[in-house]
Amino acid sequence: QVQLVESGGGVVQPGRSLRVSCAASGITFSSFGMHWVRQAPGKGLEWVALISYDGSNQYYGDSVKGRFTISRDNFRNTLYLQMNNLRPDDTAVYYCAKSETHMIGSLNFWGQGTLVTVSS
Amino acid sequence: QSVLTQPPSVSAAPGQKVSISCSGSSSNVGNNYVSWYQHLPGTAPKLLIYDNNKRPAGIPDRFSGSKSGTSATLDITGLQTGDEADYYCATWDSGLSEVFGTGTKVTVL
């Protein structure tokens, strides 16, 4: 069955960097676009970034543009989110999610999330 | 800041129906497919509706979606206690981003 497992979350100081990962199994990973979506404490879902099936196109939400980078390794079936210059308002549970198509479309499967806390 | 507006909360008794609206614009809802997600905090969100009104395998037909112009609606009939959760609409925006609704908490009275 489809499994998306996030890892790499933790506590990090403001201004520092962190990379979170999402390991996929049970799917032909290289065929699908992949998203990162986050939820801050007490807030709703916020879309973070999208990468196309082959990694050639990336899109970002306004709040992370220029600071976060989405990437993927189709040989390792793994999605990444490199987060630089972190701010306290980046504190959230970060979910990876699979697109129904090679790029945009519904997010038809989600991982359980990894918590990132930005605090001094 | 979300560009899709949903009511903060809706409620009804078991067995009744609730409707959740999702209001957007021509740059998002008006020209793209809408999806709906169910989310219990601390768990993985689940896709309920895609392409405005289609249900993935395993989603009961108590959940249905529709779209008209720049608004979409999720209906839940035969409400059950297990339906208590947060619900979000989402779609692609021509500004090259996925956008989520503000979220609606469903309470079963």
Side-chain angles (χ1 to χ4, degrees):
Chain A
Q1 73 277 22
V2 181
Q3 274 202 312
L4 298 174
V5 180
E6 299 94 337
S7 62
V11 180
V12 60
Q13 293 180 326
R16 304 298 291 264
S17 299
L18 190 70
R19 187 179 80 163
V20 292
S21 303
C22 169
S25 60
I27 59 170
T28 306
F29 182 71
S30 58
S31 295
F32 299 100
M34 295 292 296
H35 297 257
W36 287 101
V37 178
R38 68 184 182 182
Q39 184 177 39
K43 303 290 187 182
L45 297 176
E46 179 189 12
W47 179 77
V48 173
L50 163 67
I51 188 167
S52 60
Y53 71 107
D54 61 355
S56 62
N57 293 283
Q58 306 91 35
Y59 304 93
Y60 298 93
D62 287 343
S63 60
V64 307
K65 207 171 292 185
R67 299 186 301 123
F68 290 12
T69 301
I70 188 171
S71 63
R72 64 190 299 159
D73 184 336
N74 283 348
F75 294 102
R76 290 186 167 84
N77 290 346
T78 303
L79 176 73
Y80 303 102
L81 185 67
Q82 176 69 42
M83 302 180 287
N84 297 333
N85 190 21
L86 281 159
R87 309 189 301 222
D89 62 357
D90 294 317
T91 295
V93 175
Y94 285 75
Y95 298 98
C96 66
K98 168 189 164 294
S99 177
E100 67 169 309
T101 74
H102 66 283
M103 199 160 74
I104 67 171
S106 65
L107 285 65
N108 63 1
F109 198 83
W110 299 60
Q112 295 285 338
T114 187
L115 176 62
V116 173
T117 303
V118 184
S119 173
S120 53
Chain B
Q1 185 173 352
S2 176
V3 297
L4 304 183
T5 303
Q6 299 178 228
S9 63
V10 297
S11 60
Q16 298 300 302
K17 172 185 172 180
V18 294
S19 295
I20 301 171
S21 60
C22 172
S23 178
S25 70
S26 58
S27 69
N28 42 66
V29 174
N31 282 287
N32 291 288
Y33 287 122
V34 174
S35 304
W36 288 90
Y37 303 89
Q38 180 189 62
H39 187 211
L40 287 88
T43 69
K46 178 167 53 172
L47 175 66
L48 289 179
I49 298 289
Y50 67 101
D51 291 358
N52 302 331
N53 55 18
K54 297 183 174 67
R55 283 185 306 276
I59 301 300
D61 59 6
R62 301 186 299 104
F63 295 91
S64 62
S66 62
K67 191 182 93 167
S68 178
T70 58
S71 291
T73 301
L74 173 70
D75 291 322
I76 310 173
T77 58
L79 202 61
Q80 301 176 0
T81 55
D83 297 333
E84 284 204 333
D86 299 319
Y87 293 81
Y88 296 87
C89 60
T91 187
W92 187 252
D93 188 283
S94 60
L96 301 181
S97 65
E98 185 79 10
V99 288
F100 281 88
T102 49
T104 298
K105 182 176 182 62
V106 169
T107 301
V108 182
L109 301 173

